[in-house]
Amino acid sequence: MKKIFAFLLCVAMLTLCFVGCGETADENKGNADDTTVADDTTVADDTTAADDTNKVIKMATNAAFPPYEYKEGDAFVGIDVEIATAIAKKLGYTLEIVDMEFDSIITSVQQGEVDFGMAGMTVTDERLLEVDFTSSYATGVQSVIVVDGSDIASLDDLAGKKIGVQLGTTGDIYASGDYGEDNVTKYGKGADAVIALKGGDVSAVIIDNEPAKAFVAQNEGLKILDTEYAIEDYAIAVKKGNTQLLDDINKALEDLTADGTIDAIIAKFIKAE
Ligand code: ARG
């Protein structure tokens, strides 16, 4: 009887040992899983290693606004594109451009989908309630495009006329305020407003002066009125409260202004008259 008891005890201990061993193996498996997690850490390490090369900074723009941002084939080109590339490089990032409707840029910055918005964007009091702006890097002037031989020769002549603008731009905001929403037709792109002008759907287009010059150069029979509707500052929009990025970009802009980079980029795209 004692022997049987001793035998049973042995079996019980062996069983315990197996279970125990099993548990250890399971723990090892657990460790193996941890190793997989550690692989992720390797990915994290890569990210660290990539700090100088692969860290991406995202810019929202509307690449239909020459000479600030437009496309040549699949490539984004223009003043803003080159300045943003120079800023990103200075800050140790690779620039990624996200092309969208002009109207969506501020929301996209506010929601953190992109790091900043740069699109020949004018600093206005209303926008300052929604985003923070860096120091200004360029000046813009709202201009009026009409067809050759138009009876519109001054801003006063615009009263009661159909005006085309790009949706959500300052041209849209000012024209809607001064001449009435009913007289303003809003297009997704400035170029579409220009097509409407050529087709007689609108009698004038209000848009920033440099794109205005580019559109007039690309299209026969158009001219820019010798009048300045509004003078504005262009700046880069960042999410409200993102003071680190704001300060970093401002410092980069300061350096790029001091060493002549900004002037050189602007001169490359805007030939002195
Ligand atoms: N300066 C004007 C504004 O801020 C027009 C900018 C339009 N820019 C563009 N990429 N479509 O409202």
Side-chain angles (χ1 to χ4, degrees):
M1 185 69 183
K2 250 190 197 165
K3 267 189 193 161
I4 291 176
F5 184 73
F7 174 75
L8 282 177
L9 195 71
C10 257
V11 170
M13 282 171 78
L14 272 173
T15 312
L16 269 179
C17 176
F18 274 123
V19 171
C21 288
E23 262 170 22
T24 315
D26 277 342
E27 269 166 29
N28 280 341
K29 252 193 230 150
N31 283 343
D33 284 348
D34 286 350
T35 317
T36 317
V37 174
D39 282 349
D40 291 345
T41 318
T42 316
V43 174
D45 281 350
D46 284 351
T47 318
T48 319
D51 263 5
D52 349 19
T53 46
N54 263 337
K55 234 170 43 169
V56 164
I57 192 163
K58 283 192 192 176
M59 153 176 159
T61 199
N62 169 249
F65 200 66
Y68 294 96
E69 47 267 329
Y70 54 106
K71 291 185 93 174
E72 267 175 16
D74 282 342
F76 292 106
V77 287
I79 294 171
D80 289 350
V81 174
E82 293 207 5
I83 294 178
T85 305
I87 292 171
K89 193 172 167 211
K90 256 199 184 302
L91 301 183
Y93 293 105
T94 299
L95 181 72
E96 182 183 319
I97 294 180
V98 187
D99 194 15
M100 59 182 70
E101 296 293 309
F102 180 76
D103 208 23
S104 306
I105 296 175
I106 289 195
T107 316
S108 160
V109 170
Q110 283 180 306
Q111 293 179 346
E113 288 160 7
V114 294
D115 298 292
F116 64 90
M118 188 173 191
M121 190 181 284
T122 305
V123 181
T124 69
D125 290 343
E126 291 73 23
R127 289 175 185 166
L128 276 167
L129 298 174
E130 302 171 325
V131 288
D132 288 339
F133 279 103
T134 63
S135 342
S136 176
Y137 62 90
T139 305
V141 179
Q142 291 301 313
S143 300
V144 183
I145 312 175
V146 295
V147 293
D148 282 334
S150 166
D151 57 353
I152 300 170
S154 71
L155 292 173
D156 289 343
D157 296 338
L158 285 172
K161 294 279 174 28
K162 290 268 173 247
I163 301 168
V165 296
Q166 182 181 15
L167 177 70
T169 59
T170 46
D172 174 6
I173 297 160
Y174 304 151
S176 300
D178 291 347
Y179 302 100
E181 289 280 348
D182 289 351
N183 292 315
V184 178
T185 311
K186 301 161 190 235
Y187 299 89
K189 290 180 185 160
D192 292 338
V194 170
I195 291 170
L197 174 63
K198 288 178 74 177
D201 296 335
V202 296
S203 303
V205 168
I206 296 184
I207 195 160
D208 305 47
N209 58 333
E210 290 303 330
K213 283 189 218 161
F215 293 139
V216 167
Q218 288 160 13
N219 292 278
E220 300 252 305
L222 301 180
K223 64 176 183 184
I224 298 173
L225 290 190
D226 191 17
T227 175
E228 293 180 340
Y229 183 38
I231 300 178
E232 323 181 303
D233 290 325
Y234 290 169
I236 300 169
V238 304
K239 189 173 179 172
K240 258 199 171 305
N242 192 352
T243 46
Q244 182 64 57
L245 183 61
L246 190 74
D247 292 349
D248 286 350
I249 295 179
N250 274 335
K251 177 75 179 68
L253 275 175
E254 207 177 289
D255 292 350
L256 293 167
T257 305
D259 72 7
T261 305
I262 304 270
D263 278 350
I265 292 172
I266 293 177
K268 179 174 157 187
F269 289 93
I270 300 177
K271 304 282 171 240
E273 274 134 57

